[in-house]
Amino acid sequence: MNAIISASELASELTGGNPPVLLDVRWQLSLAKAAGEPPFDGRAAYEAGHMPGAVYVDLDRELASAPGARGRHPLPNLAEFGAAMRRSGVSSRTPVVVYDGGQGWAAARAWWLLRWTGHPDVRVLDGGLPAWEGPLETSVPAPTEGDFQPAPGATGLLDADGAAALARSGVLLDARAGERYRGEVEPIDPRGGHIPGALSAPTNENVGADGRFLPAAELQARFKTLGASEGTEVGVYCGSGVSGAHEVLALAVAGIPAALYVGSWSEWSSDPERPVAVGPDPQ
């Protein structure tokens, strides 16, 4: 099954006999609070105009639990996550398409959570809302309650120890910007640098100027240069498990399964016992 769907393909499916549930997960990593500016309001953006029938999902409240020792976006309470998905109309036998404002990170976080918890048919709208050429609406739908029950998978999730081990035994990719990987800047977390042994693989290099994913063959070639290919054990982390989900999605487009370290750098860097590497060298 494809992990992404184009806007034209989605328009066709929405008029078919089994249209997908649409989830709007607009969100931005915002440093506005530190600058004294109002943070991005995803719900307000949704209410100003969204794809017809789409239900808003709040990343901070429904796709993550409260920030703390496990990072800035730890795994959500699965009972609460399941309830939020059912309220949104998600059922186990109904396809789901997730979109955001175009960056793809938040939509990928929802995609990853639904896939990891057992939903068989969930895709991300490639390019997000800017790729949609159809009408928008402002009315808030009241979907029929879904029946989705989260059933976490045995694979696909890394903790800190698992990420450290994978950096030695397989391929661990750091999806953050290169300057954060190298420790030259760190605008959010306690320490700069990267997990020893991790390779720098900024997620923005997986997409073109329009925000859409590069062709699968180009993604395969990119990841091959990093040592990641089908049959290799691959893991990804980022700052807090959001942009890393986007890299896991890019790997899926390339046909390469990968696990996500959800706690990511926000958890790792908060633990003084965890080693930190700086500079371009993985070690």
Side-chain angles (χ1 to χ4, degrees):
M1 186 192 73
N2 290 334
I4 58 176
I5 185 171
S6 70
S8 59
E9 290 169 332
L10 177 56
S12 177
E13 289 195 12
L14 288 171
T15 61
N18 188 29
V21 170
L22 296 179
L23 303 181
D24 183 313
V25 197
R26 274 179 276 182
W27 172 90
Q28 290 179 13
L29 176 63
S30 177
L31 303 179
K33 186 175 180 180
E37 301 172 4
F40 175 79
D41 188 335
R43 182 172 290 280
Y46 166 82
E47 292 175 350
H50 53 266
M51 290 179 60
V55 177
Y56 178 70
V57 174
D58 189 312
L59 185 148
D60 291 317
R61 293 178 174 83
E62 296 173 320
L63 304 182
S65 53
R70 293 183 299 126
R72 283 183 280 110
H73 290 105
L75 284 174
N77 175 284
L78 290 182
E80 295 176 2
F81 169 67
M85 292 299 97
R86 291 189 294 276
R87 285 196 304 270
S88 301
V90 174
S91 290
S92 58
R93 293 174 298 279
T94 303
V96 177
V97 171
V98 191
Y99 71 89
D100 59 21
Q103 188 178 42
W105 294 5
R109 171 72 175 222
W111 167 85
W112 180 84
L113 270 170
L114 281 164
R115 292 292 293 155
W116 178 66
T117 55
H119 198 287
D121 189 352
V122 54
R123 291 161 292 172
V124 169
L125 175 58
D126 195 17
L129 189 60
W132 177 250
E133 296 180 351
L136 300 180
E137 67 180 21
T138 57
S139 59
V140 176
T144 301
E145 182 90 0
D147 64 13
F148 178 68
Q149 296 289 342
T155 60
L157 176 67
L158 293 172
D159 59 11
D161 289 340
L166 186 57
R168 297 188 296 270
S169 65
V171 175
L172 182 66
L173 302 178
D174 185 319
R176 299 173 300 158
E179 58 268 24
R180 290 186 69 191
Y181 170 88
R182 295 187 295 272
E184 297 166 0
V185 299
E186 183 44 66
I188 308 172
D189 295 314
R191 295 183 285 169
H194 59 269
I195 296 174
L199 302 172
S200 180
T203 197
N204 62 2
E205 294 180 15
N206 297 321
V207 298
D210 59 1
R212 302 183 197 187
F213 282 104
L214 299 176
E218 292 184 30
L219 290 172
Q220 290 167 357
R222 183 199 180 203
F223 291 126
K224 186 176 181 179
T225 65
L226 294 164
S229 57
E230 190 175 3
T232 306
E233 191 176 3
V234 181
V236 180
Y237 75 95
C238 57
S240 66
V242 179
S243 67
H246 190 263
E247 186 124 296
V248 173
L249 177 58
L251 284 155
V253 172
I256 305 168
L260 177 66
Y261 171 28
V262 174
S264 283
W265 189 247
S266 58
E267 178 185 42
W268 185 280
S269 63
S270 297
D271 183 349
E273 299 299 317
R274 298 283 179 187
V276 168
V278 296
D281 190 326
Q283 303 299 332

